[in-house]
Amino acid sequence: MTGTEPLLPPLPDAGWSRVLCVVAHPDDMEYGTSAAVAAWSARGVEVTYLLLTAGEAGMAEPPDVVAPLRAAEQRNACDEVGVGDLLILGHPDGMLEYGLALRRDIARVVRTVRPDAVVTANFDLEAYGGLNQADHRAAGLAVVDAVRDADNPWVFRELAEVEGLSTWHTSALLVAGHERPTHAAAVEEAAVSAAVASLNRHEAYLQHVTGHPKPEEFIPEILRGGGVRAGVDHAVVFRVYDLGGLGS
């Protein structure tokens, strides 16, 4: 912030009872966003994680070894922030394809979970200080479209006619890690600590990444930066798209 920018308004999430977080890989939620998850869970919001891949191409070991390892580490990470519902679709890591199949799979989960809000990660071409990873870009675009697909009775008609999943309207789409956030979710110290712990649970993955900073060194700093933008001690910031009914 330059000092002249207005503070970000608080995220109007008081009435939410269910949130669905959709990301490409294990650990994608753990770079600060999980602090908001911990805060939601602490007040009784049911949070579901949907991972589109198992992250099996993200380490040096063979994929058949890495996939179950990363799934186990993600389950441990979920425990730290109160997420009891973890779904992993198993699309190919590193080769995630935007298309109807991926949109259908995500829409199916949206209709099943019936969330008030859907959270995903930044899917811009440039993000996180460089060129964004291909899976992140495909995932985000698919999430945007699948949220609307889930609300359209004439798209993926088999979800209702064969699987019995009626349409669902999601009130808001939240994009974490966006360079132009619109709202902030203030979080307490307990949620900050839970976010640090959740990333630390990806122990094998963090050991694999050469020079990866310790979560306790940079996660609080990210959340303090969000707090500065919101006028609080710590916050998770989001770019929020009101799909109709936000905060109602």
Side-chain angles (χ1 to χ4, degrees), residues 31 196 199-200 206 209 211-221:
Y31 286 82
V196 170
L199 182 53
N200 270 322
L206 294 180
V209 181
H212 195 290
K214 294 181 179 180
E216 54 268 25
E217 294 175 349
F218 76 96
I219 294 296
E221 187 63 26

Side-chain angles (χ1 to χ4, degrees), residues 69-176:
L69 172 62
R70 299 206 68 190
E73 291 192 335
Q74 183 63 70
R75 290 188 183 94
N76 291 335
C78 286
D79 289 343
E80 296 288 351
V81 294
V83 174
D85 191 15
L86 169 63
L87 306 172
I88 302 176
L89 290 184
H91 284 265
D93 183 24
M95 298 181 289
L96 191 64
E97 291 187 281
Y98 170 87
L100 293 178
L102 186 60
R103 283 168 50 185
R104 182 188 297 109
D105 284 349
I106 299 170
R108 176 183 291 109
V109 176
V110 172
R111 290 191 183 190
T112 301
V113 174
R114 305 175 80 78
D116 299 293
V118 170
V119 178
T120 194
N122 190 328
F123 51 93
D124 290 344
L125 175 61
E126 296 183 33
Y128 312 116
L131 293 175
N132 205 352
Q133 199 263 357
D135 286 354
H136 296 163
R137 304 196 314 267
L141 284 175
V143 170
V144 169
D145 293 336
V147 167
R148 291 178 291 191
D149 295 336
D151 195 27
N152 189 331
W154 310 120
V155 175
F156 305 133
R157 293 172 63 174
E158 66 274 18
L159 293 180
E161 296 172 0
V162 178
E163 301 181 36
L165 296 171
S166 58
T167 57
W168 178 255
H169 176 76
T170 300
S171 295
L173 174 67
L174 281 58
V175 181

Side-chain angles (χ1 to χ4, degrees), residues 1 5-10 183-187 223-237:
M1 294 183 65
E5 298 175 14
L7 294 176
L8 294 175
H183 293 75
V187 293
L223 298 172
R224 278 192 291 269
V228 168
R229 304 188 75 165
V232 297
D233 289 338
H234 298 90
V236 181
V237 297

